[in-house]
Amino acid sequence: MDINKYNHRKNVACALVIFAALTANAFALSYVQQMADHIEYVDALRGVFGAAIFNEIWALGTLIASLCMHMEKKEHHQKLDMVANWTTMSALSIFCLNIAGAVLNHLSMMELKAKIEGN
């Protein structure tokens, strides 16, 4: 098994998942912007989705950096470990921010539903 080929495929798969999350969060941020006059927690939603987008761009950068390194070269081992740590921390941050975004979005939609039913 070619360890570099495995590493590159794994990183490309991770990059595609992170890119999908980036696309979803960009859509969520545009939705918040369009609905800003009608929903609650607009600033919190903007902050959460903006932070998630920043983290996704950072994570994509770390994955691209790891694609430039080779597993067989000893001088790359420390850098690969550092990049793997950054990517893991970014993924954890993205996970937490998406949970927070989902909760805020749910609360916002419940408020919107109450406004609609109250009118």
Side-chain angles (χ1 to χ4, degrees), residues 58-115:
W58 174 263
L60 286 171
T62 61
L63 286 168
I64 290 168
S66 71
L67 289 172
C68 299
M69 297 180 220
H70 294 284
M71 299 286 284
E72 288 105 15
K73 294 185 177 180
K74 280 218 179 254
E75 63 268 15
H76 288 176
H77 287 187
Q78 185 178 8
K79 291 176 185 172
L80 280 166
D81 188 46
M82 181 176 63
V83 167
N85 287 336
W86 286 346
T87 305
T88 302
M89 295 312 291
S90 293
L92 178 62
S93 177
I94 292 165
F95 172 77
C96 293
L97 287 166
N98 277 294
I99 296 296
V103 169
L104 284 169
N105 216 1
H106 174 73
L107 293 172
S108 180
M109 290 300 108
M110 296 309 292
E111 292 284 332
L112 181 61
K113 182 180 175 188
K115 280 183 186 177

Side-chain angles (χ1 to χ4, degrees), residues 10-81:
K10 176 186 62 70
N11 286 337
V12 168
C14 288
L16 291 174
V17 170
I18 290 171
F19 191 72
L22 175 65
T23 305
N25 284 324
F27 172 77
L29 187 59
S30 71
Y31 172 80
V32 168
Q33 191 62 31
Q34 291 172 359
M35 296 294 291
D37 295 335
H38 309 289
I39 60 175
E40 302 295 324
Y41 312 110
V42 173
D43 291 334
L45 285 163
R46 284 178 184 152
V48 167
F49 289 126
I53 289 168
F54 173 79
N55 274 289
E56 288 151 359
I57 292 169
W58 174 263
L60 286 171
T62 61
L63 286 168
I64 290 168
S66 71
L67 289 172
C68 299
M69 297 180 220
H70 294 284
M71 299 286 284
E72 288 105 15
K73 294 185 177 180
K74 280 218 179 254
E75 63 268 15
H76 288 176
H77 287 187
Q78 185 178 8
K79 291 176 185 172
L80 280 166
D81 188 46

